[in-house]
Amino acid sequence: MIWYILLFLSRAKEDDGPISSKDVAECLKCGRELARAARRRGNELVKSGINLDAYTPGILHFFSGDLPPDLKKASDVSKEILSATKLLQMKMHSSVTPSMFHSYLEQQGVCLRDPFCQPSLITCSSTSKYRSIDGTCNNEEHPEWGRKGAPFTRIAMPRYADGIYTMPVARSGHSLPNPRLLSTRLFADRAIGSRVLTNMNVQFGQFITHDMLFQVMDVTDEGGIQCCLADGRDVLPPEWQNDKCIPITVPDNDPFYRQHDIKCLNFVRSVTTPRDDCSLGHAEQMNTVTSYLDGSAIYGSDKKISSKLRTKSGGRLRQEERTGCIRGFLPSVKDKFAVCDLRNASEPCYLAGDIRINQSPTLAMLHTLLLREHNRIANKLSKLNPLWTDEKLFQEARKIVIAEIQHITYQEWLPTNFGADYLRYYRISPSTLYSRDYNPEANPGVINSFGAAAFRFLHSIISDNIVTCPKTYDKAYLYRLSDYYSNPCLLESDPDSFDDVVRGILASNAGESDPFCTGEITNLLFKSRNQWGMDLIAMDIQRGRDHGIASYNDFREICGLPRARTFQDLANEMSQDRINALQHLYECVDDIDLFVGGALERDMQGSILGYTFQCIVAEQFYRTRIGDRFFYDNGEMPHSFTTDQLKEIKKASMARLICDNTDGVHFVQKKAFEVESAYNPKYKCDDYNNIPYVDLTAWKKPSLDIF
């Protein structure tokens, strides 16, 4: 690979003038060769034995599935583009800064001409009443926006060291602080429970995240990428490392890992993808699911997966029956041990629209509730409209379930976490029956800083344990979260187990919204059969750097705060002890990572977030609503719900979802995301005044309406 660069540089010239088309063509040709050489080298490393060991935290972190062929090809092309961009930068005069180079590319619009990579040419039907599975054609003017495989969007220029793809450095040119050191110093393990929020609140937040975004790590054709010596004893020598390795080194005096002689946490860069216009420029990471809040975690983001999940009868999704249980469970994957971390073959491992479903029993529980909700609705619609086809029943049931998810998110979950007054003031959650805010110029694509930083703050409210409660509520059983990563067996240990988990998640408190994080995620993530695991907070910090997320100070300015010139300028947003800690760890206020700075801000009134994270999260959910043509309360469109139907949809709640889809949960607090209290008591599930139900008779159609 090196000889390509040397040959290229031997012919390169420093020139103040513009780069010629011949230069661009040469860079593209050489970039393609460099990318292909890197791919061959990666495969050879795995073949030579430098691969991920079974039952290690690293391999469980890779339980994300292979990319489908179209996304794999896009990833390969993006590597060629990035190599070509770097070579083109080398041809520029030495006085040209990364910022100047980026401006040049923007002005010139230099693009890759490749049979695969060309501006999207997607044909859409203007008569479709239902959203596509892969997110295409939601926006008829920009049919590629929000699709599976689209690049994340940005609201700030990235801070790659070279302006293209190199990991960021401090303003001085030195390395940024070690992510593991930041985790242990700033995000200590301290058990502080929320006084307001339940663990159902945490779980729904994870579901929303999975519905809207999924960045996957790069892999070789031969398997996962290893960046550490066996068992994390040290970092691999450079000559043995894949060029996508960005391992997290562990300090010698680490309070936890030194007990296990761990010096390295495996970490690999995210898959990248070309821009929609195939232009050269800085790296853009790929979102491998649709960006819309569209139930893709249930239904999948491509036709192949969606078809695999359906029964093709009565509009229902596949489910499996269990002895002693009235309602069904998610179907099983074929090769359980390839997806889950099981102790024996009798333990469940589920199949759903999102492969991450098995990450925890409570996530699988929520998926199961939504599977049952779809089939419950499909069965009722079939009785109301016996002439409807399987496809009609499936699409209508899917449309209703997506609407319920959107309604619960915008009218129940978001206000609980981020403040109802704030959301209404900025029109993030509309208050009228219909909204007419759809804007075809609003890109609903997930903002990179939202997915790689701001929304990851929810990791701080994860609690230590999974709690289960019997129907008598006379006792509670606690299970360590780290004992059940990638193993949802708690849901099926006996016929009552599923409902016990539901009762437990409603009765247990989430963690407090503060920088303190449980050791279950900072020391033991994906630990499998080991005594140690990964550090999710260190990974969050490293992922933000991998994605070139702009600094905390940059986002302060974007969100309307004054740019900090010194650490003390942060005093209005965070406490003095946190400022002192930052000053001790970072050289300069401009170096602070967005995840770190945002997490240390004081919460805003009524919110679990500080000012900067609130700004980013609000921007995302505003775009997610107004950029979705099929959003559930959009009015005056061919696919809009009727007035009677929309009124029923707006009765949906997390409490009703639980009541309708469990066997033995008979009492639920009205606000299921908040703890039971005098202001939020439990009600019987058949108390329809306090826990209204969605009356589906509003969907009964004339007998001729069967398609």
Side-chain angles (χ1 to χ4, degrees), residues 227-228 235-236 241 245-249 264-268 542:
C227 307
C228 304
V235 177
L236 276 172
Q241 276 195 30
C245 280
I246 47 172
I248 299 171
T249 57
C264 177
L265 302 179
N266 202 61
F267 202 78
V268 179
Q542 189 78 328

Side-chain angles (χ1 to χ4, degrees), residues 417-682:
N417 288 276
F418 309 121
D421 292 342
Y422 179 93
L423 297 175
R424 280 195 297 269
Y425 182 81
Y426 288 102
R427 292 188 55 77
I428 296 159
S429 294
S431 56
T432 56
L433 179 63
Y434 284 105
S435 64
R436 294 172 176 81
D437 299 331
Y438 173 63
N439 182 358
E441 295 306 312
N443 189 339
V446 170
I447 301 167
N448 213 326
S449 52
F450 168 85
F455 217 47
R456 291 181 179 233
F457 180 70
L458 294 179
H459 292 156
S460 73
I461 63 174
I462 296 172
S463 57
D464 298 19
N465 302 299
I466 299 169
V467 178
T468 66
C469 291
K471 63 180 65 177
T472 57
Y473 283 99
D474 60 340
K475 59 179 74 75
Y477 300 93
L478 275 63
Y479 301 86
R480 290 181 65 187
L481 176 62
S482 60
D483 288 337
Y484 293 92
Y485 290 130
S486 301
N487 187 333
C489 67
L490 281 179
L491 299 183
E492 295 193 43
S493 55
D494 63 57
D496 295 325
S497 293
F498 184 87
D499 291 347
D500 290 349
V501 171
V502 175
R503 282 186 287 264
I505 203 171
L506 291 170
S508 57
N509 297 56
E512 186 57 272
S513 57
D514 53 37
F516 300 116
C517 297
T518 171
E520 296 291 292
I521 65 167
T522 57
N523 297 325
L524 299 171
L525 184 72
F526 303 133
K527 76 177 179 68
S528 186
R529 301 166 195 183
N530 306 281
Q531 298 302 310
W532 61 278
M534 306 287 280
D535 178 353
L536 184 56
I537 298 302
M539 292 161 60
D540 289 339
I541 296 167
Q542 189 78 328
R543 188 63 70 199
R545 295 174 183 178
D546 169 31
H547 287 211
I549 301 301
S551 72
Y552 166 65
N553 214 1
D554 289 335
F555 276 97
R556 279 174 59 92
E557 197 169 24
I558 288 169
C559 289
L561 292 174
R563 188 174 187 87
R565 304 300 174 185
T566 68
F567 284 96
Q568 204 54 44
D569 290 341
L570 307 177
N572 287 335
E573 286 71 48
M574 58 184 72
S575 62
Q576 189 61 48
D577 61 325
R578 295 177 183 179
I579 294 172
N580 293 342
L582 288 174
Q583 190 164 9
H584 179 72
L585 293 164
Y586 286 92
E587 292 181 7
C588 170
V589 70
D590 285 328
D591 297 338
I592 301 172
D593 296 278
L594 173 61
F595 178 84
V596 173
L600 297 186
E601 288 185 347
R602 298 185 187 91
D603 293 349
M604 291 183 65
Q605 182 68 35
S607 174
I608 65 172
L609 299 178
Y611 183 91
T612 305
F613 276 179
Q614 180 94 334
C615 158
I616 297 169
V617 169
E619 178 67 19
Q620 179 63 64
F621 281 103
Y622 182 66
R623 293 185 182 194
T624 297
R625 181 176 72 82
I626 70 164
D628 183 357
R629 181 164 61 96
F630 289 94
F631 197 78
Y632 82 106
D633 65 356
N634 281 344
E636 300 177 350
M637 293 188 176
H639 56 267
S640 297
F641 288 113
T642 67
T643 300
D644 289 342
Q645 290 172 346
L646 187 55
K647 286 179 179 177
E648 294 302 318
I649 289 290
K650 293 202 171 188
K651 295 177 182 177
S653 67
M654 191 70 233
R656 177 47 57 191
L657 183 69
I658 293 165
C659 286
D660 286 345
N661 296 288
T662 52
D663 295 335
V665 180
H666 303 303
F667 295 86
V668 180
Q669 58 262 42
K670 184 174 183 178
K671 297 180 179 180
F673 298 131
E674 299 180 26
V675 297
E676 181 185 3
S677 67
Y679 303 99
N680 186 34
K682 281 189 171 72

Side-chain angles (χ1 to χ4, degrees), residues 245-437:
C245 280
I246 47 172
I248 299 171
T249 57
V250 177
D252 292 337
N253 62 347
D254 189 89
F256 174 79
Y257 288 119
R258 68 180 177 184
Q259 304 170 41
H260 305 282
D261 198 25
I262 302 302
K263 302 289 186 183
C264 177
L265 302 179
N266 202 61
F267 202 78
V268 179
R269 302 201 74 165
S270 295
V271 166
T272 56
T273 192
R275 293 175 178 80
D276 291 327
D277 63 0
C278 298
S279 59
L280 273 65
H282 57 73
E284 298 290 6
Q285 287 71 32
M286 178 191 293
N287 189 359
T288 62
V289 298
T290 69
S291 294
Y292 299 101
L293 186 57
D294 60 357
S296 59
I298 309 167
Y299 302 106
S301 289
D302 64 65
K303 292 180 180 179
K304 184 177 179 181
I305 292 295
S306 177
S307 179
K308 193 175 181 180
L309 295 169
R310 294 174 58 178
T311 64
K312 306 298 175 64
S313 174
R316 292 183 294 273
L317 293 170
R318 287 174 53 202
Q319 65 179 37
E320 294 179 1
E321 307 305 320
R322 298 288 188 268
T323 303
C325 298
I326 298 172
R327 293 173 173 83
F329 286 80
L330 291 149
S332 300
V333 297
K334 287 185 178 179
D335 186 356
K336 292 182 178 182
F337 290 95
V339 178
C340 291
D341 182 27
L342 306 182
R343 279 58 173 176
N344 58 71
S346 66
E347 292 178 334
C349 182
Y350 299 122
L351 175 69
D354 191 293
I355 197 168
R356 294 167 289 182
I357 179 180
N358 296 292
Q359 279 187 352
S360 72
T362 50
L363 176 60
M365 174 274 298
L366 186 52
H367 270 268
T368 305
L369 288 177
L370 289 163
L371 165 82
R372 293 174 176 179
E373 176 71 352
H374 174 95
N375 286 345
R376 185 187 72 83
I377 291 171
N379 288 337
K380 286 187 174 292
L381 291 178
S382 179
K383 292 177 181 178
L384 290 169
N385 302 285
L387 296 182
W388 277 8
T389 64
D390 166 68
E391 183 66 19
K392 175 77 171 178
L393 289 167
F394 171 77
Q395 293 294 356
E396 287 291 333
R398 173 175 171 247
K399 182 179 177 182
I400 293 169
V401 170
I402 293 171
E404 290 179 336
I405 292 170
Q406 291 180 340
H407 180 71
I408 291 170
T409 300
Y410 277 79
Q411 301 296 339
E412 189 174 358
W413 189 80
L414 285 174
T416 298
N417 288 276
F418 309 121
D421 292 342
Y422 179 93
L423 297 175
R424 280 195 297 269
Y425 182 81
Y426 288 102
R427 292 188 55 77
I428 296 159
S429 294
S431 56
T432 56
L433 179 63
Y434 284 105
S435 64
R436 294 172 176 81
D437 299 331

